[in-house]
Amino acid sequence: MTIEIELKFIATPEAAEKLATTLAAMPHQHVAARELTNIYFETDDNQLRRWDMGLRIRGVDQRYEMTLKTSGKTVGGLHQRPEYNVDLDAPDLDIALLPAEIWPQGTDVAALQQRLEPLFSTHFQREMWLVQFADSEIEVAFDRGEVAAGEFSEPLYEVELELKQGSRADLLSFAAKLIDMGGLRLGSLSKAARGYQLAQGNPPRPLRTFPLLKIPAKATVEQGMINALSAGLNHWQYHEEVWLRGNPAAKTSVLEALDALRQTFSLFGALVPRKASSDLRQKLTRIEEVLTNDDQEAQELCFSLASVEAQLALTHWLVESQWQNWLDDKNKSKLQGSFKRFSDIMLSRIAADLKETFVDVQLFNEFQDKATRLNRQLLAVHLLAGAYPAEEVNNWMSSWQTLQHAIHIKQERGLNTLVNQAVKQVPFWLNSGASR
């Protein structure tokens, strides 16, 4: 087993032409392009997918390798997944060659083998450079080809950075230099994820509501912050993909993701000094300003240096815990405190703020003026309330969401009644004292 640490970019064809020139200025070894074919296997009920596994056979120069990737962690475009590799004499699947302990307990490996069938494939040319950067060795691979499943296919232009030796921080710093050439965006979707989508008939990816973040009751404040920022980044990148694939409504969801990130920095601002995140917040503000332009094209924004820099900087900030450099001992201790207790305090403040904001409002234009505040506070509840039963949280939020919808559709009557119903609700965060 190895732990693969990769940073993946989607590239434009134009960027592909610049890559060799950009890398030529750095100490490197070049490997000429080779043809690679990968066949991915799955059961008819997507059992491997449900286990968060990916299984493939790769062929190159008449040599074959079987690879199983298991559940890992993806932040931004940084993929960290355990993988198991077995050399094969022929492109014949034999999962009995993999370590027995990797499968969930009780798995009948022989029966699973019988159920596995080719699901989709990737065919591409891979050109590689082994680059020396700072104290690290980084493999840069450029893949050009296609992902195909039955009658469906889509072009593939990817740049993958894999850390061979050295530090993850060097990998991220190298990426920050590489994106200056333009035409790259962070890729959160793996080749396998794209193949599964094609195998399902390539249906349009749906818009997603911002999730109620689930987190263990004993999580620390720091874990809650990381969870919230990661969710905002995931929401951003998912809807960026949907927008690029032709759904203009996804632009609103990208703005929602940026709002969620803004709210997260605000919620934790008393523990993480603002100067620790000032550069990040400035980058996010610039993206928000561009998105307010109604004529903004998805391709132009998503491949813009400003957007990619912001996502990469946030990824770097998260995976390297860069806020730690700005903390005194007192705040370090507070970040290791109970996230549930922190959430109780913050949820009480949000409820008090909503009551103060709306309880005396009379005119419809005043409601409209305060709609943005309502939107952001409800996003904050999504970020904070994940340790509580979802039904209780949703019941509490539903009254405020009814008011939110009424303002959105310009319903002028009955708004004060909706406010009164919302403020009279029993706080869900006071109902679980025994578990704190």
Side-chain angles (χ1 to χ4, degrees):
M1 186 197 80
T2 59
I3 299 293
E4 180 184 56
I5 300 178
E6 288 185 334
L7 196 61
K8 299 189 179 188
F9 292 96
I10 307 298
T12 64
E14 295 76 20
E17 303 303 323
K18 300 178 184 177
L19 185 61
T21 303
T22 302
L23 296 175
M26 305 178 186
H28 73 278
Q29 298 174 25
H30 177 249
V31 179
R34 297 188 296 174
E35 293 282 347
L36 274 70
T37 296
N38 298 280
I39 301 173
Y40 290 78
F41 295 84
E42 184 55 279
T43 65
D44 58 2
D45 61 352
N46 287 343
Q47 179 63 75
L48 296 184
R49 188 74 166 163
R50 287 186 281 117
W51 285 338
D52 198 13
M53 292 180 170
L55 177 66
R56 75 176 184 222
I57 291 178
R58 168 170 290 172
V60 54
D61 297 337
Q62 301 303 308
R63 297 180 61 187
Y64 303 96
E65 182 181 64
M66 178 173 60
T67 296
L68 180 77
K69 294 189 179 186
T70 61
S71 179
K73 182 179 181 182
T74 298
V75 178
L78 187 74
H79 301 249
Q80 301 174 90
R81 300 186 72 180
E83 68 172 31
Y84 301 82
N85 300 296
V86 178
D87 290 331
L88 301 174
D89 295 327
D92 300 322
L93 189 68
D94 185 358
I95 62 173
L97 297 174
L98 293 162
E101 65 271 13
I102 66 176
W103 304 108
Q105 189 172 6
T107 300
D108 185 332
V109 176
L112 179 61
Q113 169 85 33
Q114 293 299 315
R115 296 171 56 208
L116 290 165
E117 297 288 346
L119 183 64
F120 59 89
S121 61
T122 61
H123 309 276
F124 54 89
Q125 283 194 333
R126 167 166 288 184
E127 188 174 4
M128 294 195 302
W129 296 260
L130 195 61
V131 178
Q132 300 296 322
F133 180 81
D135 297 321
S136 298
E137 188 175 76
I138 298 165
E139 181 182 88
V140 182
F142 170 53
D143 297 339
R144 184 198 322 242
E146 69 169 11
V147 184
E151 62 183 285
F152 297 99
S153 65
E154 65 177 52
L156 181 69
Y157 291 93
E158 285 188 354
V159 176
E160 294 184 358
L161 314 182
E162 182 175 353
L163 184 65
K164 290 299 187 182
Q165 293 181 15
S167 72
R168 193 172 51 189
D170 282 349
L171 177 70
L172 290 158
S173 296
F174 172 73
K177 291 186 176 296
L178 191 64
I179 62 174
D180 284 340
M181 73 179 192
L184 300 177
R185 67 179 178 89
L186 282 169
S188 59
L189 284 182
S190 65
K191 293 182 181 72
R194 294 158 74 180
Y196 273 99
Q197 184 77 9
L198 293 173
Q200 293 166 6
N202 202 24
R205 288 169 170 80
L207 298 180
R208 294 175 179 170
T209 56
F210 195 86
L212 178 66
L213 301 191
K214 298 307 297 178
I215 193 164
K218 294 185 178 180
T220 65
V221 177
E222 186 172 46
Q223 288 170 330
M225 180 182 73
I226 293 169
N227 199 43
L229 290 171
S230 298
L233 182 54
N234 290 341
H235 199 67
W236 179 1
Q237 291 186 323
Y238 174 83
H239 288 98
E240 179 180 86
E241 191 78 33
V242 176
W243 189 19
L244 280 163
R245 290 172 182 266
N247 186 346
K251 177 182 174 183
T252 301
S253 298
V254 171
L255 277 167
E256 182 182 44
L258 294 171
D259 265 346
L261 293 170
R262 179 199 297 274
Q263 281 299 100
T264 302
F265 285 121
S266 176
L267 288 169
F268 295 89
L271 303 181
V272 177
R274 289 180 61 82
K275 58 189 176 182
S277 62
S278 60
D279 182 60
L280 262 179
R281 287 183 288 103
Q282 288 172 13
K283 285 180 167 64
L284 295 172
T285 298
R286 284 197 289 272
I287 302 300
E288 286 181 307
E289 290 170 350
V290 174
L291 280 168
T292 57
N293 179 356
D294 292 337
D295 298 326
Q296 181 64 55
E297 295 290 336
Q299 183 83 3
E300 181 184 357
L301 177 76
C302 298
F303 281 95
S304 70
L305 188 57
S307 178
V308 183
E309 275 186 337
Q311 290 189 12
L312 187 61
L314 181 53
T315 300
H316 199 161
W317 203 75
L318 280 168
V319 300
E320 293 295 309
S321 304
Q322 289 184 330
W323 57 87
Q324 288 285 344
N325 301 328
W326 302 84
L327 301 182
D328 57 25
D329 290 341
K330 182 178 180 181
N331 281 349
K332 284 183 180 178
S333 177
K334 286 182 177 179
L335 276 182
Q336 296 311 306
S338 164
F339 177 65
K340 189 123 177 289
R341 191 171 297 113
F342 173 83
S343 296
D344 287 345
I345 295 169
M346 301 308 293
L347 288 164
S348 294
R349 290 178 182 174
I350 288 169
D353 179 79
L354 288 173
K355 181 177 181 179
E356 182 181 352
T357 300
F358 286 102
V359 75
D360 293 323
V361 174
Q362 299 297 325
L363 301 177
F364 178 68
N365 66 331
E366 292 181 275
F367 278 101
Q368 286 185 305
D369 291 342
K370 298 177 186 298
T372 298
R373 189 175 193 86
L374 174 60
N375 296 343
R376 288 180 173 165
Q377 293 290 42
L378 291 181
L379 261 180
V381 176
H382 279 81
L383 299 170
L384 292 165
Y388 291 92
E391 184 178 359
E392 292 181 21
V393 179
N394 290 328
N395 285 342
W396 185 88
M397 284 200 298
S398 64
S399 292
W400 289 109
Q401 288 168 336
T402 301
L403 174 64
Q404 182 185 41
H405 179 68
I407 297 171
H408 178 71
I409 65 172
K410 297 181 170 56
Q411 173 188 317
E412 297 193 29
R413 295 177 180 271
L415 296 181
N416 294 106
T417 300
L418 295 177
V419 171
N420 290 334
Q421 291 172 346
V423 298
K424 288 178 181 177
Q425 296 178 102
V426 176
F428 64 83
W429 56 93
L430 299 182
N431 296 340
S432 303
S435 64
R436 271 181 268 157

